[in-house]
Amino acid sequence: GQSLEQPSEVTAVEGAIVQINCTYQTSGFYGLSWYQQHDGGAPTFLSYNALDGLEETGRFSSFLSRSDSYGYLLLQELQMKDSASYFCAVRNYGQNFVFGPGTRLSVLP
Amino acid sequence: DAGVIQSPRHEVTEMGQEVTLRCKPISGHNSLFWYRQTMMRGLELLIYFNNNVPIDDSGMPEDRFSAKMPNASFSTLKIQPSEPRDSAVYFCASSPGLNEKLFFGSGTQLSVL
């Protein structure tokens, strides 16, 4: 089976940097993805790591270490609109996507 | 592209009634997923299809739930009979191929009274 763990809540102030961690247990997977979901909305894709290392997309970066079964999403220059839930997800070799429990980020003025 | 289209957006029904949720994936995407989201259980994968064929339905809660994909542009998730504990947001998502990102529909908010 597979399981993913994330902190349930994170709070930060506008302009700050925040890191959301994800640890996982899975027998095999293609890569680690991150999704953002605003209240009342649908999850939207943010980033994907197939290989170890850092991927950067604007203010967002994502990191993967397969040897440590660990990844994180880094959000820089936080804005109020970044207040949302963030989910890590793995696509395992069975080809289905499994999502973590989600981290609720609150950005304070 | 219109994205993944789900209908209805909201459904309120009484316990024991049949509920049918509909999904039109993005044209050209060959994988389709049904998820259920609740506060308690988060995003749960119910079933997914690849090239219209169900690949993994181990997440379907029980026999009351069934899903079909008669063609590449349409899928349904049916609950019969519905129960209050089925109340949740049901998302459909599609992806263009292996290792690709998911594109989610707007979801169906289901309330079973």
Side-chain angles (χ1 to χ4, degrees):
Chain A
Q2 55 269 319
S3 66
L4 298 95
E5 293 185 5
Q6 303 177 237
S8 58
E9 293 182 8
V10 173
T11 301
V13 297
E14 257 186 313
I17 299 173
V18 71
Q19 178 173 312
I20 299 174
N21 298 323
C22 174
T23 58
Y24 58 85
Q25 291 184 344
T26 181
S27 54
F29 68 105
Y30 290 109
L32 184 71
S33 304
W34 289 91
Y35 288 78
Q36 178 190 59
Q37 184 179 29
H38 287 98
D39 286 348
T44 57
F45 173 82
L46 286 178
S47 183
Y48 174 70
N49 292 71
L51 305 174
D52 283 6
L54 193 68
E55 292 284 341
E56 297 180 73
T57 308
R59 295 187 296 115
F60 295 174
S61 303
S62 59
F63 173 83
L64 174 63
S65 169
R66 288 177 181 264
S67 60
D68 295 322
S69 297
Y70 165 74
Y72 66 72
L73 178 69
L74 191 74
L75 299 86
Q76 303 182 72
E77 301 173 17
L78 280 175
Q79 302 175 10
M80 298 295 290
K81 67 178 181 179
D82 297 330
S83 292
S85 293
Y86 292 84
F87 296 86
C88 58
V90 295
R91 186 163 197 177
N92 60 30
Y93 288 152
Q95 300 182 33
N96 59 0
F97 280 88
V98 178
F99 282 79
T103 299
R104 187 170 186 87
L105 170 65
S106 298
V107 180
L108 305 178
Chain B
D1 198 325
V4 176
I5 300 173
Q6 289 187 246
S7 63
R9 286 284 280 127
H10 302 276
E11 177 79 30
V12 180
T13 190
E14 293 186 347
M15 182 173 62
Q17 296 298 304
E18 177 180 295
V19 174
T20 299
L21 311 181
R22 296 172 176 80
C23 175
K24 176 179 170 56
I26 293 172
S27 177
H29 285 194
N30 60 5
S31 295
L32 183 139
F33 303 77
W34 283 101
Y35 285 89
R36 176 172 70 176
Q37 187 173 37
T38 61
M39 288 295 293
M40 291 297 295
R41 301 175 69 88
L43 270 166
E44 300 176 274
L45 177 66
L46 300 178
I47 185 171
Y48 88 95
F49 296 83
N50 195 46
N51 293 321
N52 312 338
V53 176
I55 303 299
D56 183 357
D57 65 355
S58 60
M60 296 286 261
E62 47 198 274
D63 292 346
R64 298 184 297 106
F65 286 68
S66 62
K68 294 182 179 179
M69 192 165 186
N71 57 62
S73 58
F74 184 65
S75 177
T76 60
L77 178 67
K78 185 176 294 186
I79 308 172
Q80 166 64 21
S82 58
E83 297 182 3
R85 59 187 168 134
D86 301 330
S87 297
V89 180
Y90 290 80
F91 287 105
C92 174
S94 68
S95 74
L98 287 178
N99 313 334
E100 295 286 348
K101 64 184 181 183
L102 289 179
F103 294 79
F104 282 80
S106 298
T108 295
Q109 174 76 60
L110 173 65
S111 298
V112 183
L113 307 177

